Amino acid sequence: MAEELTDADNARPVYLRIADALRQRYTPGGQLPSTPKLAEEWGVARETIRAAIDVLRTDELVTSSPGRGVFYAADRAPADPANDIGQVVARLDEVLNRLDSIENRLSLLESEPRKASD
């Protein structure tokens, strides 16, 4: 399922919008998903993901380790507090969406008829 890119940002190139979204997921020292996985998630070509990662690399937010992957920088300059709030809100939205998904799955499981062996 592809991440949604807002229509308000249509004037900006897709790779920049993806780079912004990856910034919001920033976890010091955390590993980014693989390029193919991100390409599938966003519904774009791998080259678009590579361009987004290059933007983050230029901003010194990620480092590459050959054979291991791409990692968020373990230490970076303190972020703007307003940006931190935006990241918290974005993360909270993500958590709430996942919670809704889990609750929907549970509802489906609860509505399934039980077998005599259960």
Side-chain angles (χ1 to χ4, degrees), residues 20-78:
D20 289 344
L22 291 173
R23 276 187 186 93
Q24 292 178 352
R25 296 181 184 178
Y26 178 82
T27 304
Q31 185 173 11
L32 276 74
S34 68
T35 300
K37 187 175 247 184
L38 285 170
E40 181 180 339
E41 177 182 339
W42 288 94
V44 297
R46 291 178 186 181
E47 194 57 38
T48 303
I49 297 300
R50 288 186 194 105
I53 291 172
D54 284 343
V55 169
L56 298 177
R57 190 176 291 115
T58 299
D59 293 343
E60 300 182 350
L61 295 176
V62 298
T63 59
S64 298
S65 178
R68 292 188 58 222
V70 179
F71 296 83
Y72 287 107
D75 55 347
R76 69 175 207 191

